[in-house]
Amino acid sequence: MIHFVLLISRQGKVRLTKWYSPYSQKERSKVIRELSGVILSRGPKLSNFVEWRGYKVVYKRYASLYFCMCIDQDDNELEILEIIHHFVEILDRYFGSVCELDLIFNFHKAYYVLDEVLIAGELQESSKKTVARLIAAQDSLVETAKEQANSISNMIAQATK
Amino acid sequence: MGSQGGWGQSKEFLDLVKSIGEARSKAEEDRIVMSEIENLKRRITEPDIPKRKMKEYIIRLVYVEMLGHDASFGYIHAVKMTHDDSLLLKRTGYLAVTLFLNENHDLIILIVNTIQKDLKSDNYLVVCAALTAVCKLINEETIPAVLPQVVELLGHPKEAVKRKAIMALHRFYQRAPSSVAHLISNFRKRLCDNDPGVMGATLCPLFDLIAADANSYKDLVVSFVSILKQVTERRLPKSYDYHQMPAPFIQIRLLKILALLGNGDKQASEHMYIVLGDMFRKCDLSSNIRNAVLYESICCVSSINCSTKLLESAAEVTSQFLKSDSHNLKYMGIDALGRLIKINPEIAEEHQLAVIDCLEDPDDTLKRKTFELLYKMTKSSNVEVIVDRMIDYMISINDNHYKTEISSRCIELAEQFAPSNQWFIQTMNKVFEHAGDLVNVKVAHNLMRLIPEGFGEDNEGADNQLRSSAVESYLRIIGEPKLPSLFLQVICWVLGEYGTADRKFSASYITGKLCDVAEAHPSDDIVKAYAVTAIMKIYAFEIAAGRKVELLPECQSLVDELSASHSTDLQQRAYELQAVLGLDARAVESIMPSDASCEDIEVDKSLSFLDGYVQEALVKGARPYIPESERSGMSNISNFRGQVHHDSSTHGLRFEAYELPKPSGASRIQPAPLAASKELVPVSEPTYPQEILQPASVSSVSETGPTEFKLRLDGIQKKWGRPTYSPTAPSTSNSNPQKTVNGAPQLVVQGAVSSQAHDVSYDSRKTKVEVSPEKQKLAASLFGGWSSKTEKRPTSTNHKTTRVHSAAVEKSQMPTAAVASTEQAAEKESPQQPPLNLLDLGDPTPGDSTASIDPFKQLEGLLGPSDVSSVGNSAVTASKSADIMSLYAESPISGLGGTVANMAPTNSINLTSGVSNAANRNVPVGSASTQVAPVKKGPNPQDSLEKHAVARQVGVTPSVTNPNLFRDLLG
């Protein structure tokens, strides 16, 4: 099971966090501090795994962003590495050549994507197509809702003028 | 589409994100966030905030929380937002609450009602959003509130909903196994779902269920094998391919399940031989995902009752992993090796140099993994080298968690395999010295037990030698500064017990040392206590031996100081010491016998020595003692309490309308009061009968069976009732078998391995050329212990018969397995065979009605049935781009062209090679997506330009400090 997902920039800034196991706010900060210290200082040729407090953390660097997932002792690290890549590919499709900036300003959208990829700490859907379709469906609904909201607020604005 | 046309948030928010991005220090970032929190606190409570504005506030709260600050003041607004009718707001609300709230947060109760409503929604997207929230938020207590609806959703027409519902049930199972115990048939049914996504999701709960109790699922072995076979034969829709691998994530889950089912079960294992053999056939280390599947196959082989041939293939792959340049693969190779040597220790031999390379690798992760491997293969011949290495490593690291782990491993190995007492004591000293107080307290206590008990041999001499060498080494060490407290305790205890035992050292010398210890650690009461007790023992032994004792002056001052100590414990010890000094030799000997720490102290529980006194008192007219249970008033009280508790256990939080009064069932009540009464009622034992009577009488009244809803409340914690959580009682049927099933076979395996390790030894082969002599030496000391006797392998004929047998078995049960076993010729034919039903469960399910048609093919649509088997590689890549197009063909939104076109960057680092391969061709697309014109592929500068333009609008420009922000993650 995946206990949490972290996206950390090379400078140690947090870009996204998702916790599938209960951690208090204090623990979360501690975990992030500890792990970013360990992971960011690792050399490029070393393995993508870190043993940490009886868990394993699998990380992978894309451009300047580190994607980290914390898993149990008996999980398959290589599989998690591919789950990370799967997630990045879906992000890439969704944002169109995703870059760190997309995730900085659209972190909530990245959360929606993540929610379709992982659920309750497990890979939910391994078909990129299915995931993309679902997110698109949600977004199209949101778009129409937005338009409606816009038109309503316009009307209100005009009415109150 | 996400980034097209700006980011859609207000200027204010973008400015916030930007300023955080530009913050130069953590302090500056914190300052910005704090002022944002103040700002939000003020604004969010304003009346009549437009909903759109509110949504943005919520997202800003998420942002603040993500950066590690507390945004709990806004949680309630996020909760309110989930109540909104519009999906846009609801989705934001759900996102925020799932990020904010842990499963036991008080606000969850306010969301349950909304979730209930949303689970019934007509809009499947609303249902999806609610299910995602269910997975995160629903705790044991609220499971019954949503369970019926989630179960209902298993039959929802949308696959996504079904999938999420299964995952939600899986989560429920993890939280409270008993809550979904009656739903197991549903999981079995969903395994036959036409949608591979749903089937794949079902494997998650099934894995947990099988891990808990493998025996009840043995009938599924054939089905799992058949599914795995079909997946590897590419029978799933191409959209499940990942980097040219057919549905690897599903394969991995299946392999994990098979590993559980085949563990210690020869018959079940035999069903898997063929499909596992096929997994190893195509063994190239080209793609990472293939390696992941290969590794999982090795794990499966090492867990099941495997054949020699499979073991050989697994060993072959392992050696390829170890030979690879990639650290990741080496790591996996070491792990795999650790699994395989449990079956056959010989396998490690050819990899000795690789293992040593890994041990000396600068990568800490790899090093630790290797230590784990060494730990598994330690035996008396190599224990010294391995433990020395471990201790050296332990000294070099700062990670306390790992230090604790490795130190306890060292100690375990030393206790188990120590070649000599001297070495054992020295090793212990080193571990204690360097790991300090990280060493588990139990380890210290173990050592204190081990020294008096000796190593179990009936050789007093050797034990005495152990003790005197311990005393000597401790006297040498004791003066060193900064010894950890735990170690000092051991030292004091041993010196007190055995310091003067062999008359090598005088009592005054030892007591002097002990006084020094107590003086050097004025703030450590425990050490002082150990020291003063040790001093007392030394003097007691002296007195008992009839020698004259004089208290050293420093001793006297210590005793004086301690008798005035704030700690009553220390005071008492000091007074005891003084009292002992005043006694005669005979008395001292009986209260402080020498070397008697292992003798059992007999406690007369019935206080029979008081019988005479009691008799005397009775004769004098005293009233006889009445046991508590027989006192009538008391039993009434306990009965009453049991009643109260029993009520509270049934009336927890309710989520349904009141039902008609009905006598309730008995089965659910019995365990709870039993377990709870232990906490509540002081006199637990005697009151049992009455408490059991209580539910029993209820049950005799009840005529209708227990309602389903109530059954599920078993073992669920009552948050607002009394804290009477009793997990063991109701769920025994689930949890206990798990322990026994999991534990037993493992024990068996370990036992077998360790005996093998001792008895069977192997020739150490000559190390290869071009290896430094140092390494060779190390290799020899690590692996050299195996000599001459080679385990006789099962003969090949034997192996063949098992194979044939397994094939025969499969043939009888399932036609396709037979097809596969008749080698390649048959494989070519297989497409012409009538397509096989994936779900050969032999269980009348809806899936069976489509028995003659492959369900996945029906789903596929894009590719005709003949394509599936014949197209091969080209189809794989082709389908990839087909996916992309058909996907966007269904949701034509402006600006999409750019997105798709830009998706595949030209410089293909192997990460995206799959995508870019597909992208570089213009593939004729299947019938479903013909309306889409072939899209021009390659990097689209226009798209990035647009993105940059937006970024600049916001005010973010690529600069020296953030050049990477604009770089494509996949580029």
Side-chain angles (χ1 to χ4, degrees):
Chain A
M1 181 195 164
I2 298 167
H3 295 281
F4 55 79
V5 177
L6 293 182
L7 266 63
I8 309 172
S9 81
R10 209 165 51 123
Q11 291 83 27
K13 287 190 173 160
V14 181
R15 299 302 187 206
L16 189 142
T17 60
K18 181 92 184 176
W19 309 84
Y20 293 103
S21 296
Y23 289 85
S24 70
Q25 188 73 33
K26 214 172 159 192
E27 286 168 326
R28 290 177 183 188
S29 309
K30 193 162 171 250
V31 167
I32 293 170
R33 212 170 38 241
E34 229 171 85
L35 275 181
S36 54
V38 174
I39 289 172
L40 297 180
S41 62
R42 277 174 72 84
K45 279 197 137 184
L46 305 185
S47 61
N48 293 76
F49 323 128
V50 177
E51 301 202 351
W52 174 78
R53 295 204 212 163
Y55 295 103
K56 293 187 290 198
V57 177
V58 177
Y59 70 92
K60 189 159 184 189
R61 181 175 165 178
Y62 290 89
S64 57
L65 203 55
Y66 285 83
F67 288 68
C68 319
M69 291 187 183
C70 172
I71 52 170
D72 286 321
Q73 257 325 316
D74 52 355
D75 282 326
N76 182 338
E77 293 93 338
L78 293 177
E79 183 197 5
I80 302 298
L81 217 47
E82 290 309 298
I83 289 180
I84 291 177
H85 191 69
H86 178 64
F87 176 47
V88 175
E89 281 185 351
I90 291 173
L91 284 176
D92 194 61
R93 254 188 217 200
Y94 178 71
F95 285 106
S97 330
V98 64
C99 63
E100 195 177 336
L101 215 55
D102 288 315
L103 300 181
I104 295 176
F105 285 99
N106 288 303
F107 62 90
H108 57 293
K109 288 186 178 163
Y111 274 123
Y112 291 135
V113 175
L114 185 59
D115 273 346
E116 294 305 325
V117 177
L118 298 178
I119 193 167
E122 302 279 356
L123 181 69
Q124 178 187 183
E125 177 57 72
S126 56
S127 158
K128 284 194 256 298
K129 186 171 153 187
T130 315
V131 172
R133 213 180 258 167
L134 250 178
I135 300 169
Q138 289 172 4
D139 275 359
S140 66
L141 255 179
V142 168
E143 291 299 324
T144 51
K146 225 178 239 173
E147 276 162 27
Q148 282 170 358
N150 273 343
S151 59
I152 291 171
S153 59
N154 281 345
M155 279 193 284
I156 294 172
Q158 280 174 354
T160 48
K161 247 175 202 171
Chain B
M1 71 211 83
S3 60
Q4 256 85 43
W7 280 296
Q9 287 97 2
S10 74
K11 178 87 172 56
E12 206 179 11
F13 180 45
L14 295 179
D15 282 345
L16 169 72
V17 176
K18 204 181 113 209
S19 61
I20 294 280
E22 284 165 358
R24 298 202 178 275
S25 65
K26 183 77 185 146
E28 191 182 340
E29 183 186 306
D30 286 347
R31 214 164 37 242
I32 298 168
V33 176
M34 290 317 281
S35 74
E36 170 69 9
I37 288 177
E38 286 311 310
N39 184 17
L40 281 174
K41 260 186 196 164
R42 204 161 3 93
R43 310 250 310 253
I44 211 162
T45 47
E46 282 169 10
D48 301 332
I49 305 173
K51 282 179 176 168
R52 249 175 84 74
K53 197 90 197 150
M54 194 60 173
K55 172 173 163 267
E56 197 188 288
Y57 289 154
I58 300 287
I59 290 178
R60 279 154 78 168
L61 285 175
V62 171
Y63 190 64
V64 163
E65 187 110 323
M66 190 172 88
L67 294 175
H69 294 261
D70 178 48
S72 52
F73 63 90
Y75 289 178
I76 187 69
H77 298 281
V79 170
K80 270 191 211 153
M81 187 152 274
T82 62
H83 303 337
D84 202 282
D85 287 331
S86 122
L87 176 62
L88 171 70
L89 297 174
K90 195 181 268 301
R91 198 164 154 234
T92 311
Y94 275 133
L95 176 70
V97 288
T98 51
L99 290 170
F100 290 153
L101 307 181
N102 272 332
E103 61 188 60
N104 289 322
H105 201 281
D106 291 337
L107 287 176
I108 285 175
I109 205 73
L110 298 179
I111 309 173
V112 171
N113 196 17
T114 318
I115 290 180
Q116 276 183 324
K117 207 176 72 203
D118 288 345
L119 288 176
K120 288 184 201 138
S121 165
D122 294 335
N123 185 344
Y124 78 100
L125 292 172
V126 173
V127 181
C128 281
L131 279 173
T132 308
V134 162
C135 286
K136 171 82 205 237
L137 299 177
I138 294 299
N139 49 30
E140 285 181 273
E141 187 187 318
T142 41
I143 286 174
V146 295
L147 187 63
Q149 285 154 40
V150 175
V151 174
E152 215 168 278
L153 289 175
L154 289 176
H156 198 275
K158 282 278 179 188
E159 279 81 25
V161 175
K162 274 195 267 185
R163 207 173 57 219
K164 282 175 204 267
I166 289 168
M167 297 310 285
L169 290 176
H170 177 220
R171 194 64 163 174
F172 294 167
Y173 176 78
Q174 290 173 334
R175 298 231 158 110
S178 59
S179 66
V180 291
H182 59 294
L183 294 169
I184 288 163
S185 64
N186 292 53
F187 293 137
R188 282 170 175 257
K189 229 180 269 172
R190 281 304 128 212
L191 191 61
C192 328
D193 200 282
N194 286 351
D195 181 65
V198 177
M199 185 271 289
T202 315
L203 298 176
C204 290
L206 279 175
F207 175 81
D208 279 7
L209 288 165
I210 291 170
D213 171 24
N215 285 327
S216 326
Y217 297 89
K218 295 284 184 189
D219 57 316
L220 288 178
V221 171
V222 180
S223 321
F224 285 129
V225 168
S226 141
I227 294 174
L228 179 57
K229 192 165 146 45
Q230 293 176 64
V231 172
T232 52
E233 284 170 356
R234 302 184 178 277
R235 302 271 191 111
L236 293 195
K238 294 294 177 216
S239 65
Y240 284 86
D241 279 10
Y242 178 86
H243 294 196
Q244 277 117 57
M245 208 38 198
F249 299 108
I250 293 179
Q251 286 191 43
I252 289 173
R253 276 182 193 164
L254 284 165
L255 284 167
K256 280 188 174 158
I257 290 178
L258 289 180
L260 290 177
L261 286 171
N263 192 319
D265 182 340
K266 191 149 193 344
Q267 210 193 342
S269 303
E270 277 165 2
H271 289 300
M272 306 166 192
Y273 287 172
I274 293 170
V275 77
L276 283 175
D278 288 345
M279 305 298 284
F280 290 119
R281 194 152 298 153
K282 270 202 238 154
C283 166
D284 54 336
L285 306 184
S286 52
S287 84
N288 188 39
I289 188 67
R290 186 176 293 281
N291 296 335
V293 176
L294 279 174
Y295 167 76
E296 205 58 59
S297 308
I298 297 173
C299 294
C300 184
V301 166
S302 68
S303 160
I304 66 172
N305 203 330
C306 71
S307 68
T308 331
K309 191 161 173 238
L310 275 182
L311 191 60
E312 271 169 24
S313 324
E316 170 60 25
V317 176
T318 307
S319 76
Q320 292 201 30
F321 279 175
L322 284 169
K323 282 175 198 152
S324 151
D325 284 335
S326 146
H327 273 76
N328 287 352
L329 287 188
K330 278 188 190 164
Y331 176 91
M332 301 314 270
I334 293 280
D335 185 272
L337 194 58
R339 291 167 190 269
L340 292 179
I341 57 165
K342 279 189 196 160
I343 305 171
N344 182 359
E346 201 182 352
I347 293 171
E349 206 182 315
E350 73 172 283
H351 303 299
Q352 20 184 300
L353 291 175
V355 169
I356 288 163
D357 278 340
C358 291
L359 195 61
E360 281 163 2
D361 200 274
D363 187 349
D364 252 7
T365 312
L366 194 52
K367 217 178 235 179
R368 290 180 189 188
K369 199 75 194 175
T370 315
F371 276 121
E372 202 181 307
L373 173 69
L374 292 181
Y375 166 73
K376 283 180 195 158
M377 46 186 263
T378 307
K379 48 196 169 343
S380 40
S381 62
N382 57 13
V383 65
E384 291 174 72
V385 191
I386 289 179
V387 170
D388 282 353
R389 285 249 155 191
M390 282 183 167
I391 291 176
D392 285 347
Y393 180 64
M394 185 184 80
I395 294 170
S396 71
I397 56 170
N398 291 322
D399 175 352
N400 283 351
H401 189 273
Y402 193 68
K403 235 177 185 171
T404 315
E405 198 181 311
I406 201 168
S407 68
S408 58
R409 279 187 176 169
C410 284
I411 288 165
E412 191 188 318
L413 291 178
E415 281 177 4
Q416 223 173 330
F417 299 109
S420 69
N421 293 331
Q422 195 98 23
W423 180 85
F424 175 73
I425 297 290
Q426 272 173 4
T427 307
M428 291 308 230
N429 289 355
K430 267 196 225 162
V431 172
F432 273 112
E433 238 176 293
H434 296 289
D437 292 325
L438 295 173
V439 181
N440 195 330
V441 184
K442 270 193 197 143
V443 171
H445 293 172
N446 245 352
L447 182 58
M448 285 190 246
R449 193 178 313 133
L450 200 106
I451 290 179
E453 277 176 359
F455 277 103
E457 298 120 38
D458 291 326
N459 184 353
E460 230 1 76
D463 290 347
N464 280 335
Q465 207 190 343
L466 167 72
R467 288 163 199 158
S468 53
S469 66
V471 168
E472 270 173 53
S473 69
Y474 290 159
L475 284 173
R476 221 175 306 130
I477 286 177
I478 202 167
E480 284 179 24
K482 283 191 187 167
L483 286 179
S485 162
L486 199 58
F487 189 33
L488 283 169
Q489 293 164 30
V490 177
I491 292 178
C492 289
W493 189 87
V494 172
L495 288 183
E497 199 75 18
Y498 299 109
T500 54
D502 57 358
R503 314 276 345 122
K504 227 187 223 170
F505 304 100
S506 72
S508 59
Y509 177 68
I510 305 257
T511 46
K513 287 280 184 190
L514 287 168
C515 287
D516 291 346
V517 170
E519 254 168 56
H521 300 85
S523 57
D524 192 336
D525 277 359
I526 302 177
V527 169
K528 278 201 281 192
Y530 268 93
V532 75
T533 304
I535 293 170
M536 176 170 73
K537 278 187 205 159
I538 300 270
Y539 282 132
F541 298 153
E542 288 296 296
I543 295 170
R547 284 183 281 271
K548 202 166 151 39
V549 175
E550 264 177 48
L551 210 53
L552 293 177
E554 62 253 48
C555 242
Q556 186 61 55
S557 64
L558 177 69
V559 169
D560 291 344
E561 181 207 323
L562 293 188
S563 18
S565 164
H566 284 300
S567 155
T568 46
D569 177 55
L570 288 179
Q571 268 188 39
Q572 182 171 354
R573 284 170 199 265
Y575 284 121
E576 275 172 11
L577 169 58
Q578 283 168 324
V580 167
L581 286 178
L583 293 174
D584 64 31
R586 204 185 57 84
V588 169
E589 192 167 10
S590 63
I591 58 167
M592 266 305 164
S594 161
D595 190 18
S597 57
C598 299
E599 319 271 298
D600 289 331
I601 297 171
E602 279 178 25
V603 178
D604 187 356
K605 273 188 188 158
S606 62
L607 306 180
S608 57
F609 57 91
L610 287 175
D611 282 353
Y613 176 78
V614 172
Q615 280 302 325
E616 208 176 299
L618 284 176
V619 168
K620 281 182 187 162
R623 277 178 24 190
Y625 174 75
I626 308 168
E628 269 176 317
S629 55
E630 285 168 28
R631 280 174 246 173
S632 54
M634 194 63 196
S635 86
N636 275 347
I637 288 169
S638 63
N639 194 5
F640 171 69
R641 284 196 197 169
Q643 168 93 52
V644 167
H645 161 64
H646 153 231
D647 284 352
S648 75
S649 81
T650 47
H651 301 291
L653 223 41
R654 305 196 48 131
F655 304 99
E656 291 183 348
Y658 287 115
E659 52 204 303
L660 292 172
K662 213 192 288 179
S664 52
S667 58
R668 81 204 131 85
I669 308 167
Q670 277 165 358
L674 270 182
S677 66
K678 277 187 185 157
E679 302 166 15
L680 293 174
V681 189
V683 278
S684 55
E685 228 168 310
T687 56
Y688 269 6
Q690 277 129 355
E691 298 216 343
I692 297 170
L693 261 180
Q694 186 75 28
S697 63
V698 174
S699 79
S700 66
V701 178
S702 72
E703 282 172 275
T704 53
T707 59
E708 265 208 316
F709 167 68
K710 287 205 161 171
L711 252 180
R712 274 175 240 133
L713 273 168
D714 276 3
I716 291 170
Q717 191 179 5
K718 298 292 173 289
K719 193 160 194 176
W720 292 348
R722 287 195 201 189
T724 55
Y725 177 49
S726 56
T728 45
S731 61
T732 33
S733 59
N734 285 313
S735 59
N736 278 352
Q738 168 184 13
K739 271 167 202 155
T740 50
V741 169
N742 262 347
Q746 270 178 358
L747 272 179
V748 172
V749 170
Q750 275 178 354
V753 169
S754 63
S755 68
Q756 257 185 0
H758 287 300
D759 303 340
V760 188
S761 27
Y762 303 98
D763 248 331
S764 67
R765 274 182 211 159
K766 278 179 190 166
T767 46
K768 286 168 204 155
V769 277
E770 292 178 306
V771 178
S772 70
E774 210 176 297
K775 256 187 201 168
Q776 282 183 13
K777 215 174 119 194
L778 180 58
S781 53
L782 283 179
F783 297 86
W786 295 311
S787 65
S788 63
K789 220 166 78 189
T790 314
E791 194 181 33
K792 203 184 166 202
R793 293 185 182 181
T795 56
S796 57
T797 49
N798 219 344
H799 164 62
K800 262 177 195 158
T801 51
T802 58
R803 242 192 103 120
V804 169
H805 173 62
S806 76
V809 170
E810 291 203 11
K811 204 178 268 182
S812 67
Q813 294 188 351
M814 188 179 72
T816 32
V819 172
S821 67
T822 47
E823 308 288 359
Q824 291 179 335
E827 269 177 26
K828 275 179 196 157
E829 277 170 23
S830 63
Q832 280 121 45
Q833 300 267 333
L836 162 100
N837 185 1
L838 247 189
L839 339 143
D840 196 4
L841 287 183
D843 162 357
T845 54
D848 274 3
S849 61
T850 58
S852 58
I853 315 153
D854 188 330
F856 294 130
K857 281 191 184 147
Q858 288 183 310
L859 254 176
E860 237 163 28
L862 281 178
L863 299 161
S866 60
D867 289 348
V868 179
S869 48
S870 62
V871 177
N873 278 338
S874 63
V876 182
T877 44
S879 72
K880 226 170 195 148
S881 54
D883 291 349
I884 301 164
M885 291 169 203
S886 60
L887 159 69
Y888 287 108
E890 281 172 29
S891 53
I893 294 168
S894 64
L896 252 187
T899 322
V900 177
N902 204 19
M903 197 195 67
T906 36
N907 60 339
S908 53
I909 303 172
N910 58 4
L911 307 176
T912 33
S913 62
V915 180
S916 55
N917 276 348
N920 289 335
R921 303 174 194 186
N922 294 334
V923 194
V925 194
S927 57
S929 50
T930 32
Q931 69 271 34
V932 185
V935 183
K936 214 179 101 223
K937 297 288 182 178
N940 185 342
Q942 200 192 339
D943 185 51
S944 348
L945 275 179
E946 266 174 33
K947 212 182 248 182
H948 285 207
V950 177
R952 287 210 183 78
Q953 249 178 4
V954 177
V956 186
T957 40
S959 64
V960 193
T961 53
N962 60 0
N964 284 322
L965 292 185
F966 289 89
R967 226 165 77 199
D968 295 352
L969 292 181
L970 275 174

